[in-house]
């Protein structure tokens, strides 16, 4: 069974730091570009960051650029999100997700196929 | 950033109904549009990718269509387990952006 499990969330004060982990089982993480997507309480989904399969490329939403760092350890089947200078508005459930590729003729699409259950980050004084 | 506008934000329907949800992108995105279902307290679940390809294991009463800027998710013969929130997502450019969601409620 393909499974992703996030951990490391918790309550932190504004300006603090947290490190989220995402453990993959049932498949090799090295086969996929990986992503973090978050959802504030009662709100919609927001893509946060992505990293290519061999860590050669990483990208971030403007809202977290310069504060969050994505990384991975393919040998240990782990994905990470280092979050610094946390703000109230970073409060959310953070999901890790695989990014898959679909190709049809001249067109393609990328999509998030497998998701973890999420790890809750609460930023509050 | 590409803006994805989803409508309606909510709808009420009965078991057996046909339901249609629309997403419009602020620029052309070819077929880079995906649909997810989310039930309370659970992670999003992929339904449709590439605008119209049904994810493995998803019932055929779910279908997607569209190209360019306008896309539709249709659920025929609505079942009790289909009452949930649905999100569309564009993957043409980063940041990959989601629609605001459509909550499908029981009438």
């Amino acid at each position: 069974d393909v499974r992703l499990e996030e951990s490391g969330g918790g309550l932190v004060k504004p300006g603090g730091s947290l490190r989220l982990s995402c453990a993959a089982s049932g498949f090799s993480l090295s086969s996929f570009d990986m992503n973090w997507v978050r959802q504030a309480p009662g709100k919609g989904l927001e893509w946060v960051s992505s990293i290519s399969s061999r860590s050669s490329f990483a990208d971030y939403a403007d809202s977290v650029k310069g504060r969050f760092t994505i990384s991975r350890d393919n040998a240990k089947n782990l994905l990470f999100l280092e979050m610094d200078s946390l703000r109230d508005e970073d409060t959310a459930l953070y999901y890790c997700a695989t990014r898959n590729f679909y190709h049809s003729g001249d067109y393609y699409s990328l999509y998030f196929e497998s998701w973890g259950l999420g790890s809750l980050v609460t930023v509050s004084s | 950033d590409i803006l994805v506008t989803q409508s309606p934000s909510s709808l009420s329907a009965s078991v057996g109904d046909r339901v249609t949800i629309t997403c419009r992108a602020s620029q052309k995105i070819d077929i880079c549009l995906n649909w997810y279902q989310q039930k309370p307290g659970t992670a999003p679940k992929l339904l449709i990718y590439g605008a119209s390809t049904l994810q493995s294991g998803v019932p055929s009463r779910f279908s997607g269509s569209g190209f360019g800027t306008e896309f539709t998710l249709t659920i025929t013969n609505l079942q009790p387990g289909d009452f949930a929130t649905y999100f569309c997502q564009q993957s043409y450019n980063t940041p990959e952006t989601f629609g605001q969601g459509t909550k499908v409620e029981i009438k």
Side-chain angles (χ1 to χ4, degrees):
Chain A
D1 264 7
V2 170
R3 187 177 176 189
L4 293 167
E5 185 170 359
E6 303 89 342
S7 60
L11 176 62
V12 62
K13 288 181 167 53
S17 298
L18 274 178
R19 188 194 201 203
L20 300 183
S21 299
C22 169
S25 57
F27 71 104
S28 176
L29 205 65
S30 62
S31 300
F32 296 96
D33 294 351
M34 292 299 296
N35 295 262
W36 290 96
V37 177
R38 69 184 180 184
Q39 187 169 35
K43 302 296 185 183
L45 298 163
E46 179 188 17
W47 170 81
V48 172
S49 182
S50 65
I51 186 168
S52 59
S53 59
R54 299 189 186 280
S55 303
S56 53
F57 181 77
D59 200 6
Y60 301 90
D62 285 347
S63 57
V64 307
K65 201 169 290 184
R67 301 187 298 121
F68 289 13
T69 304
I70 191 171
S71 62
R72 63 194 297 161
D73 184 338
N74 285 342
K76 295 182 179 178
N77 246 16
L78 290 170
L79 173 73
F80 304 103
L81 185 68
E82 190 77 43
M83 303 184 293
D84 297 320
S85 303
L86 282 161
R87 306 168 179 167
D88 289 354
E89 55 265 33
D90 295 319
T91 294
L93 190 60
Y94 284 72
Y95 297 103
C96 61
T98 61
R99 175 188 276 144
N100 297 61
F101 175 80
Y102 166 75
H103 174 259
S104 175
D106 293 335
Y107 302 104
Y108 76 94
S109 184
L110 302 170
Y111 56 96
F112 302 130
E113 181 170 25
S114 300
W115 298 65
L117 298 179
S119 183
L120 182 61
V121 172
T122 303
V123 184
S124 174
S125 53
Chain B
D1 297 1
I2 296 175
L3 179 65
V4 180
T5 304
Q6 188 173 341
S7 63
S9 56
S10 65
L11 65 90
S12 295
S14 301
V15 172
D17 280 356
R18 175 189 173 106
V19 163
T20 299
I21 301 168
T22 298
C23 273
R24 289 188 174 87
S26 59
Q27 66 178 75
K28 80 167 186 65
I29 57 171
D30 294 342
I31 63 166
C32 296
L33 194 285
N34 310 306
W35 292 97
Y36 302 87
Q37 177 194 65
Q38 188 177 33
K39 297 180 181 179
T42 69
K45 172 188 172 184
L46 176 69
L47 296 176
I48 303 272
Y49 58 90
S52 61
T53 301
L54 195 66
Q55 168 69 348
S56 176
V58 173
S60 58
R61 62 179 180 274
F62 292 90
S63 63
S65 64
F67 180 86
T69 61
E70 187 150 339
F71 301 85
T72 299
L73 173 70
T74 300
I75 313 171
T76 56
N77 188 22
L78 198 67
Q79 295 298 296
D82 300 338
F83 293 96
T85 299
Y86 294 84
F87 294 94
C88 58
Q89 173 234 346
Q90 69 81 17
S91 59
Y92 189 82
N93 277 345
T94 57
E96 297 174 40
T97 44
F98 291 84
Q100 306 95 313
T102 296
K103 188 173 183 179
V104 177
E105 299 175 298
I106 301 173
K107 185 183 285 186

